[in-house]
């Protein structure tokens, strides 16, 4: 019975792990969302998981095309989002990520000599690019080893060019389709839950953006009778470099192109009650190209139907 | 719990625009705009000078003080009008006191001879990257009718990884504000040129490359002469 409870908690915590690496590089500003949610274990039919969260990143430097770090005008990106998972059948889970409020801004540039504003800051606010995905359990629900396949559709609902230079974005302006395969395994004892999972995916992008190979690995521990789950996560994107160069695009809206990175993230999820909990996360890229070099943070409140 | 529910709205409104300081101070200077090599004996030549302040912007000085190191060879009035009196060489200088109390000065060696010879109509330089983005090549600025021609040699190369790479002429390497925007870079390798009307040969000290949308300085190139 204890093991069964632990396993149920594990399913829930996997459902919470919304991995968002929305990074912009001014230079090359891009936003994308990676959803490992639910991992490779499906939501039971009729059950769901919902989360309201805030994710943000403020960057004054970026990884250049050769992987070095250079300064840039400070830019901030804030996403307030709703994430929902729902078990459509015992094996099929529907997932929606909807950033209902997305904000991107540039700071003022002020002369340190004269105090004059050289360039006034700018901002755009809108809804952001939204993801809809379906995940199918290839292994029997309840298995300790879970294999799943997912298709994710990225809807370009955000603004892909705003501000005087068309450099502000709450979306990348392209419709992407990603196929993902995930493998997860749970183990541990009655007192501590442990899981690990791996995922790979290919992201097909439109509008002359380069396609991408994405990968991730995750390790989680559940302690305090599975009230607190601590997660560490490695996430990466490699570009196929088959899209247009930034310099070949007339406007500046194709910032998200040809970006690459590997990041590490940490997340804590705590159940305040049996169904409601809080989460907090931190992630940072330790290598990259054409991407902001700054940590991102997230906080959220979740409701778990159980 | 109530406090927790307020956390998200508070974070949403905290995304306020802040200030980035640009350290844009440069040495103020007085610059002779139309230097000349040789003035024909018994003729006059009108020198002109400009004052560039501590952010490299043209400003007004209360007065310019013109002087000749050899008044018997070249005499000069306080409006910059020089008269070549006899064969020889003189150092022509202009000076002034900027609003900060700093004494500024520029000088040119001028010869008096049988015919007037203007200084070179061409200035040259080499690009250098000041970032990790590629930028290299030699360039020249040549006086043409009504302005100047900025030409880049065959060894020119610039990064294609940036959206919105722009080229400027400037007297301040730290900012594109108050720089002359030539335009978005469209050629990333090889020889090319820009014709710039209404620009003086000696008006600017550097060629400057910036990623304009994100205010990333890519590199620059000082004029060697």
């Amino acid at each position: 019975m204890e093991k069964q409870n632990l396993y149920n908690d594990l399913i829930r915590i996997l459902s919470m792990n919304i991995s968002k690496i929305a990074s912009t590089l001014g230079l090359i500003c891009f936003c994308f969302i990676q959803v490992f949610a639910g991992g490779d274990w499906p939501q039971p039919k009729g059950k769901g998981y919902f989360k309201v969260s805030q994710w943000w990143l403020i960057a004054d430097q970026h990884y250049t095309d050769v992987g070095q770090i250079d300064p840039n005008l400070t830019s901030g990106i804030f996403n307030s989002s709703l994430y929902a998972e729902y078990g459509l059948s015992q094996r099929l889970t529907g997932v929606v990520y909807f950033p209902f409020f997305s904000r991107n801004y540039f700071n003022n540039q002020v002369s340190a000599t004269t105090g004059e504003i050289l360039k006034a800051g700018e901002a755009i606010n809108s809804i952001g690019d939204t993801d809809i995905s379906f995940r199918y359990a290839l292994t029997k629900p309840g298995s300790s080893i879970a294999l799943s396949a997912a298709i994710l559709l990225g809807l370009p609902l955000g603004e892909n060019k705003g501000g005087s230079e068309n450099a502000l974005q709450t979306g990348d302006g392209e419709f992407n389709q990603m196929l993902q395969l995930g493998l997860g395994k749970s183990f541990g004892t009655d007192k501590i839950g442990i899981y690990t999972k791996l995922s790979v995916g290919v992201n097909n992008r439109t509008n002359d953006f380069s396609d991408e190979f994405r990968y991730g690995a995750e390790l989680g521990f559940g302690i305090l009778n599975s009230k607190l789950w601590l997660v560490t996560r490695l996430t990466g994107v490699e570009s196929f470099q088959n899209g247009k160069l930034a310099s070949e695009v007339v406007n500046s809206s194709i910032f998200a192109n040809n970006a690459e990175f590997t990041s590490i993230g940490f997340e804590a999820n705590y159940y305040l009650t049996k169904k409601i909990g809080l989460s907090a996360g931190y992630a940072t890229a330790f290598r990259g190209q054409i991407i902001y070099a700054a940590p991102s943070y997230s906080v959220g409140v979740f409701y778990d139907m159980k | 719990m109530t406090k927790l529910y307020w956390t998200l709205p508070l974070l949403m409104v905290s995304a306020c625009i802040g200030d980035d300081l640009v350290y844009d101070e440069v040495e103020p200077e007085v610059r002779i705009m139309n230097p000349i090599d040789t003035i024909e004996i018994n003729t006059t030549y009108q020198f002109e000078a400009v004052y560039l302040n501590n952010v490299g912007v043209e400003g007004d000085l209360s007065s310019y003080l013109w002087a000749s190191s050899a008044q018997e060879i070249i005499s000069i009035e306080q409006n910059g009008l020089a008269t070549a009196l006899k064969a020889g060489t003189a150092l022509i200088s202009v000076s002034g006191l900027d609003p900060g109390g700093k004494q500024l000065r520029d000088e040119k060696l001028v010869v008096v001879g049988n015919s007037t010879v203007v200084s070179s109509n061409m200035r040259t330089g080499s690009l250098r990257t000041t970032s990790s983005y590629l930028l290299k090549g030699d360039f020249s600025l040549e006086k043409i009718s009504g302005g100047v021609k900025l030409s880049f040699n065959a060894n020119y190369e610039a990064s294609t990884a940036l959206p919105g790479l722009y080229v400027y002429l400037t007297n301040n390497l730290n900012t594109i504000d108050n720089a002359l925007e030539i335009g978005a870079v469209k050629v990333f390798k090889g020889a090319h040129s820009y014709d710039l009307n209404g620009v003086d040969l000696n008006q600017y000290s550097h060629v400057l490359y910036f990623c304009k949308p994100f205010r990333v300085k890519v590199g620059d190139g000082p004029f060697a002469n």
Side-chain angles (χ1 to χ4, degrees):
Chain A
M1 189 62 188
E2 282 284 314
K3 280 195 172 180
Q4 184 59 45
N5 288 339
L6 185 62
Y7 176 70
N8 288 339
D9 285 337
L10 175 57
I11 291 175
R12 282 193 293 277
I13 196 64
L14 286 173
S15 301
M16 293 192 303
N17 292 332
I18 304 171
S19 175
K20 293 179 294 186
I21 309 282
S23 302
T24 46
L25 164 53
L27 263 239
I28 305 141
C29 185
F30 78 92
C31 285
F32 68 86
I33 307 299
Q34 285 199 319
V35 179
F36 288 99
D40 311 301
W41 287 269
Q43 285 283 350
K45 183 180 180 182
K47 298 293 185 182
Y49 170 84
F50 308 92
K51 182 175 182 179
V52 177
S53 65
Q54 176 82 30
W55 176 95
W56 70 97
L57 173 150
I58 299 172
D60 62 1
Q61 56 186 12
H62 64 277
Y63 287 104
T64 69
D65 61 333
V66 292
Q68 301 292 310
I69 293 179
D70 278 1
N72 54 259
L73 175 61
T74 299
S75 180
I77 308 162
F78 289 73
N79 280 332
S80 304
S81 64
L82 172 66
Y83 174 82
E85 277 198 3
Y86 192 77
L88 301 172
S89 74
Q90 286 302 108
R91 290 197 177 210
L92 184 64
T93 302
V95 183
V96 173
Y97 169 77
F98 175 53
F100 56 87
F101 178 79
S102 186
R103 175 177 172 81
N104 183 202
Y105 72 82
F106 285 136
N107 269 0
N108 299 310
Q109 278 207 310
V110 178
S111 168
T113 308
T114 65
E116 291 177 19
I117 292 180
L118 302 175
K119 186 175 190 301
E122 298 177 301
I124 59 169
N125 305 303
S126 72
I127 61 174
D129 280 4
T130 298
D131 292 335
I132 296 175
S133 60
F134 297 94
R135 189 174 62 248
Y136 188 78
L138 299 174
T139 50
K140 186 179 174 183
S143 305
S144 65
I145 295 179
L147 182 65
S148 70
I151 181 167
L152 181 148
L153 305 175
L155 308 179
L157 302 183
E159 296 286 337
N160 70 331
K161 45 185 178 180
S164 58
E165 309 290 342
N166 287 335
L168 291 167
Q169 294 186 311
T170 57
D172 58 15
E174 59 92 20
F175 171 62
N176 59 295
Q177 315 95 45
M178 182 160 66
L179 291 174
Q180 268 190 313
L181 274 180
L183 178 67
K185 177 168 175 52
S186 63
F187 45 92
T189 68
D190 289 347
K191 292 187 176 179
I192 180 167
I194 303 173
Y195 73 87
T196 183
K197 59 179 185 169
L198 302 170
S199 70
V200 292
V202 176
N203 188 22
N204 178 54
R205 308 178 79 200
T206 58
N207 291 350
D208 296 321
F209 282 82
S210 293
D211 301 324
E212 296 169 337
F213 173 72
R214 298 189 182 190
Y215 57 92
E218 188 170 317
L219 180 64
F221 300 91
I223 55 176
L224 304 178
N225 286 328
S226 297
K227 273 190 157 187
L228 176 63
W229 285 84
L230 302 173
V231 178
T232 182
R233 184 180 296 129
L234 186 77
T235 307
V237 171
E238 300 298 321
S239 170
F240 289 127
Q241 306 285 342
N242 56 352
K244 278 189 174 178
L245 297 171
S247 60
E248 293 174 327
V249 181
V250 174
N251 62 42
S252 315
S253 65
I254 199 165
F255 305 138
N257 214 1
N258 300 321
E260 297 183 352
F261 72 85
T262 308
S263 77
I264 187 161
F266 305 95
E267 191 173 298
N269 301 274
Y270 184 75
Y271 277 85
L272 297 170
T273 69
K274 284 191 174 180
K275 292 191 174 182
I276 296 174
L278 300 175
S279 75
Y282 165 92
T284 188
F286 56 84
R287 66 157 281 270
Q289 291 180 21
I290 315 300
I291 188 172
Y292 278 140
S296 67
Y297 304 89
S298 65
V299 292
V301 180
F302 62 83
Y303 175 74
D304 188 346
M305 287 176 69
K306 294 190 175 179
Chain B
M1 279 299 287
T2 306
K3 287 182 181 174
L4 290 171
Y5 293 142
W6 282 102
T7 304
L8 289 178
L10 284 173
L11 281 168
M12 286 165 64
V13 300
S14 67
C16 295
I17 293 172
D19 292 338
D20 281 5
L21 286 180
V22 178
Y23 295 93
D24 55 352
E25 185 168 11
V26 295
E27 280 295 312
E29 63 171 308
V30 164
R31 182 185 302 168
I32 295 175
M33 293 292 288
N34 56 342
I36 192 166
D37 285 344
T38 305
I39 305 175
E40 183 180 348
I41 194 165
N42 294 326
T43 64
T44 61
Y45 183 78
Q46 179 65 56
F47 283 98
E48 293 171 1
V50 296
Y51 160 65
L52 299 168
N53 67 16
N54 61 352
V55 288
V57 176
E58 218 173 296
D60 293 323
L61 279 187
S62 54
S63 64
Y64 293 97
L65 181 64
W66 291 94
S68 169
S69 64
Q71 286 283 350
E72 70 281 9
I73 296 173
I74 299 176
S75 68
I76 190 161
E77 299 173 24
Q78 287 313 303
N79 62 1
L81 183 65
T83 304
L85 300 174
K86 70 173 188 181
T89 300
L91 193 65
I92 301 299
S93 66
V94 61
S95 59
L97 209 57
D98 83 348
K102 191 170 185 177
Q103 186 72 28
L104 309 174
R105 177 185 165 91
D106 192 15
E107 60 187 26
K108 302 291 178 190
L109 196 62
V110 180
V111 175
V112 174
N114 292 327
S115 61
T116 295
V117 178
V118 297
S119 299
S120 170
N121 277 333
M122 181 178 286
R123 302 172 74 194
T124 58
S126 295
L127 294 174
R128 61 192 178 192
T129 181
T130 56
S131 63
S132 53
Y133 292 102
L134 173 67
L135 182 69
K136 64 180 183 180
D138 300 321
F139 60 86
S140 63
L141 190 70
E142 184 182 8
K143 197 168 184 176
I144 60 173
S145 175
V148 293
K149 179 190 284 286
L150 178 63
S151 303
F152 293 89
N153 296 355
N155 63 356
Y156 158 87
E157 204 169 348
S159 172
T160 57
L162 290 160
L165 181 63
Y166 277 67
V167 59
Y168 302 83
L169 287 174
T170 188
N171 288 308
N172 189 331
L173 293 177
N174 306 308
T175 175
I176 56 175
D177 296 279
N178 299 307
L180 174 71
E181 181 180 304
I182 296 171
V185 173
K186 295 192 171 101
V187 179
F188 294 86
K189 191 171 186 179
H192 62 290
S193 64
Y194 304 90
D195 287 352
L196 308 171
N197 290 324
V199 178
D200 290 333
L201 187 65
N202 296 296
Q203 193 171 345
Y204 296 100
S205 62
H206 288 78
V207 175
L208 180 64
Y209 279 80
F210 252 76
C211 172
K212 185 180 177 186
F214 301 99
R215 291 295 199 268
V216 175
K217 182 179 175 184
V218 176
D220 60 48
F223 288 108
N225 57 327

